[in-house]
Amino acid sequence: MNVTSLAHLQGETPSLHRDVVAGFAAIVGPENVLTGVADRYAYCRDRLPYGLFKLRANNLPGTLPSAILSPATAAEVKAIVDYARQNKLSLIPFGAGSGVLGGTIPLVNEIMVDLKRINRIVDLNTTDGTVTVQAGMNGMQFEQELERNGYTAGHLPQSIAMSTVGGWVACRGAGQASSRYGKIEDIVLGLKAVLPNGKLLEVRPVARRAVGPSIKDLLVGSEGVLGFITEVTLRVWRKPEHTSALVLAFGSLEAGFAALREVVQSELRPEVIRLYDIKESVQRTEGMPEFVERPILCIMKFSGKEALATVERELTLAICRQHDAVVCGNAPYEHWEQTRFHSYSTKWQSDGYYMDTIEVTGTWTHLPQMYEAMRDAAHAIHPDMHFGAHWSHIYPEGACQYMTVRLPPMPEDEAIRLHQLAWEKIENLCLELGGSVAHHHGAGLFRNPWIRKELNEGLNMLQILKDGLDPDNLINPGKLALRQPAGSNWQS
Ligand SMILES: Cc1cc2nc3c(=O)[nH]c(=O)nc-3n(C[C@H](O)[C@H](O)[C@H](O)COP(=O)(O)OP(=O)(O)OC[C@H]3O[C@@H](n4cnc5c(N)ncnc54)[C@H](O)[C@@H]3O)c2cc1C
């Protein structure tokens, strides 16, 4: 978007009244209230691909925010919420904006509350094996600090360098070592939050409790609609003393699925398991003779005490060999290790392609059918639509199917129509085949059309909770398929 169109936006979208700016400045300091149009433009979206498509065509995905506030403490967050309630102003919690479903996109000029200044490790308790950290801490800085102390949180998303710990919890995310350590909901023990009514919630970190439904889990995955998570306590593990890689070639995807199911159902827990479909395998194995007869790539990482990790590797390999896998050179593993935290999406976007990723959860019963039906649906939408998939979060009951879809350069309107159609087909097939429409990216705005079917009466329960805590619908309104704010034009 060029300077002329920014000037155009400035005319169209209101910033805050100066009394309100002064009110917020009294809380966070004037230097931590941004109202310039360029700043507001920088905060008008997250990494939702549809948002990028709109910007490429000089349109906003939603609106500009009316301001950006950067509090430094949980007390300042509470003061912001109290002031916003008194003045009926809408707020959006903002971590690092790496979400890919539109969770931080303003719909009615909401005020962004950027939490990145709330970013300290409060306590590393090596007796209990826990770390308490403020929600705005950058993921990579957090993990590196733990590693300097000989620990890991075991949550290593591809976006670790561009996301915050609070964002992980708010989106119910998954890291690349999830097959061993679990998703973030398995790692969070406790948290503190400022609720939409200004009250402070504390869920004390303990191993387990039996006092009604889990209040903690109301906040995990709440995507900002139930308030601001300001602090979390996570499990930590000793940094593994030993790691080893394993690269395998399978004769078919079915053989790979059968082997991985048996591995995890045998209580084996490699730190990393990644199985690639033919499209994604070929990209990673070109020129490797082992893959001519057995074209499906699987990479694994084993870690922990050396004796235990070695046995785990041997037992896993024995199962995979029963499914006719062969061991290959480590090159695909090393390439993955070197690039595991990179983001490639910008290359395709800037070359005029329309790229997106969709992750769903399937059961072992339905995964083969799910894969074939979704791949065929994508190709039926456009013969040149790229469709590739891998499975890298593996559970005894099933796995996450992570798909990349990409349309070639074409007129924007047509691309947006076909892109939407791809989402509709894939998410509807997922529901028909008994899966979950989202494994770890969350729901944001873009998944609104499928949340009712996914949650059924649960969505009404969430709306009742939201209305009780936030009767004026001020805190991240319209996300997670909850009631849209008055004046929103978002179509879903
Ligand atoms: C290239 C790329 C790779 C990715 N890889 C992964 C991956 O491997 N695993 C994965 O799980 N995700 C991945 N993601 C998605 C994204 O990084 C995650 O969803 C991440 O957890 C978002 O964190 P954030 O701090 O950037 O949150 P934001 O994008 O700022 O916010 C996301 C949502 O959470 C809410 N929120 C943020 N912080 C708080 C808080 N403190 N309190 C209350 N609400 C809050 C926001 O309001 C919004 O609804 C990837 C994204 C990209 C672009």
Side-chain angles (χ1 to χ4, degrees):
M1 189 169 277
N2 59 33
V3 177
T4 323
S5 36
L6 279 182
H8 165 73
L9 288 175
Q10 183 139 37
E12 270 194 359
T13 58
S15 180
L16 291 181
H17 189 277
R18 64 172 183 278
D19 291 349
V20 174
V21 173
F24 283 127
I27 298 169
V28 294
E31 68 282 15
N32 295 307
V33 183
L34 303 177
T35 54
V37 74
D39 294 314
R40 293 160 58 208
Y41 176 72
Y43 280 81
C44 77
R45 64 177 177 93
D46 58 3
R47 295 283 292 264
L48 171 72
Y50 168 82
L52 286 174
F53 306 158
K54 297 283 279 187
L55 289 182
R56 283 196 327 211
N58 261 2
N59 291 316
L60 292 175
T63 65
L64 289 189
S66 51
I68 302 99
L69 312 177
S70 296
T73 62
E76 288 183 6
V77 174
K78 178 180 162 36
I80 289 170
V81 171
D82 288 341
Y83 186 89
R85 285 174 54 240
Q86 282 153 22
N87 294 281
K88 301 264 192 287
L89 299 165
S90 299
L91 306 174
I92 297 183
F94 186 94
S98 73
V100 285
L101 269 308
T104 57
I105 289 181
L107 300 175
V108 285
N109 305 114
E110 293 90 325
I111 299 162
M112 311 303 288
V113 183
D114 185 331
L115 299 161
K116 285 196 291 295
R117 291 176 68 223
I118 309 179
N119 60 10
R120 237 174 9 92
I121 291 185
V122 178
D123 182 38
L124 174 61
N125 183 330
T126 56
T127 306
D128 297 342
T130 62
V131 62
T132 300
V133 54
Q134 293 179 336
M137 187 163 189
N138 173 275
M140 186 66 100
Q141 288 171 356
F142 169 61
E143 179 64 20
Q144 285 173 345
E145 187 57 30
L146 288 180
E147 289 190 8
R148 269 192 285 279
N149 285 281
Y151 287 85
T152 175
H155 189 81
L156 310 169
Q158 183 192 359
S159 56
I160 190 166
M162 55 166 125
S163 56
T164 62
V165 177
W168 300 344
V169 177
C171 290
R172 223 176 165 88
Q176 294 162 346
S178 64
S179 298
R180 185 183 191 85
Y181 299 110
K183 283 178 82 230
I184 197 73
E185 62 265 31
D186 305 306
I187 300 173
V188 183
L189 293 168
L191 51 79
K192 288 184 184 170
V194 180
L195 299 178
N197 60 10
K199 299 266 168 58
L200 302 179
L201 172 73
E202 178 177 7
V203 179
R204 286 176 301 108
V206 288
R208 291 285 184 272
R209 51 164 54 84
V211 278
S214 168
I215 302 298
K216 176 190 75 181
D217 285 302
L218 288 174
L219 271 293
V220 179
S222 59
E223 302 194 31
V225 305
L226 297 180
F228 293 77
I229 300 164
T230 53
E231 190 178 288
V232 297
T233 300
L234 305 177
R235 293 203 165 96
V236 289
W237 287 267
R238 291 194 174 87
K239 208 177 148 199
E241 67 180 35
H242 169 86
T243 62
S244 71
L246 180 62
V247 177
L248 297 166
F250 282 99
S252 67
L253 206 46
E254 290 66 30
F257 282 149
L260 296 191
R261 179 168 66 85
E262 201 175 326
V263 166
V264 290
Q265 290 182 351
S266 303
E267 296 177 48
L268 297 164
R269 292 288 178 273
E271 180 182 318
V272 173
I273 310 177
R274 301 176 73 85
L275 179 73
Y276 298 89
D277 77 347
I278 186 81
K279 197 81 159 226
E280 296 203 359
S281 292
V282 167
Q283 292 165 357
R284 293 163 172 81
T285 58
E286 214 184 324
M288 293 185 73
E290 306 95 315
F291 289 92
V292 175
E293 268 187 38
R294 294 178 180 79
I296 296 296
L297 169 69
C298 179
I299 65 178
M300 296 192 193
K301 178 177 183 180
F302 298 86
S303 62
K305 295 272 183 207
E306 183 164 1
L308 199 55
T310 304
V311 171
E312 192 166 48
R313 187 180 193 279
E314 281 168 10
L315 293 174
T316 301
L317 184 53
I319 292 173
C320 292
R321 281 195 166 125
Q322 279 164 15
H323 294 273
D324 199 32
V326 295
V327 177
C328 309
N330 272 354
Y333 177 88
E334 282 157 12
H335 179 260
W336 168 77
E337 181 112 302
Q338 282 157 17
T339 56
R340 62 187 289 188
F341 301 128
H342 293 184
S343 161
Y344 293 117
S345 52
T346 46
K347 170 189 175 321
W348 291 106
Q349 306 294 1
S350 55
D351 285 352
Y353 286 75
Y354 299 87
M355 193 191 112
D356 207 341
T357 57
I358 309 176
E359 26 61 70
V360 298
T361 314
T363 57
W364 290 120
T365 306
H366 289 114
L367 267 178
Q369 189 190 352
M370 194 178 252
Y371 169 68
E372 284 175 16
M374 291 178 181
R375 179 199 58 198
D376 294 350
H379 290 152
I381 288 169
H382 192 287
D384 295 331
M385 182 181 274
H386 166 94
F387 178 95
H390 64 260
W391 297 263
S392 52
H393 307 281
I394 313 289
Y395 309 98
E397 309 79 17
C400 164
Q401 180 165 299
Y402 187 101
M403 295 157 280
T404 300
V405 291
R406 191 172 62 237
L407 283 161
M410 64 174 73
E412 200 80 25
D413 286 359
E414 180 63 354
I416 285 180
R417 188 181 73 76
L418 297 181
H419 170 258
Q420 181 67 34
L421 196 57
W423 268 89
E424 268 168 38
K425 295 275 180 203
I426 287 175
E427 294 286 64
N428 287 337
L429 279 166
C430 176
L431 287 162
E432 281 165 29
L433 293 171
S436 171
V437 296
H439 176 267
H440 60 269
H441 283 165
L445 266 178
F446 206 72
R447 275 194 163 118
N448 277 357
W450 302 282
I451 305 299
R452 162 77 50 196
K453 278 194 191 150
E454 169 87 26
L455 297 181
N456 55 79
E457 189 54 28
L459 182 59
N460 293 338
M461 291 169 71
L462 270 185
Q463 185 66 66
I464 290 165
L465 184 62
K466 170 77 171 163
D467 290 343
L469 290 171
D470 187 9
D472 294 316
N473 204 19
L474 296 178
I475 310 296
N476 211 3
K479 311 295 161 55
L480 266 179
L482 297 170
R483 187 154 47 87
Q484 292 286 304
S488 162
N489 292 322
W490 184 265
Q491 301 289 328
S492 57

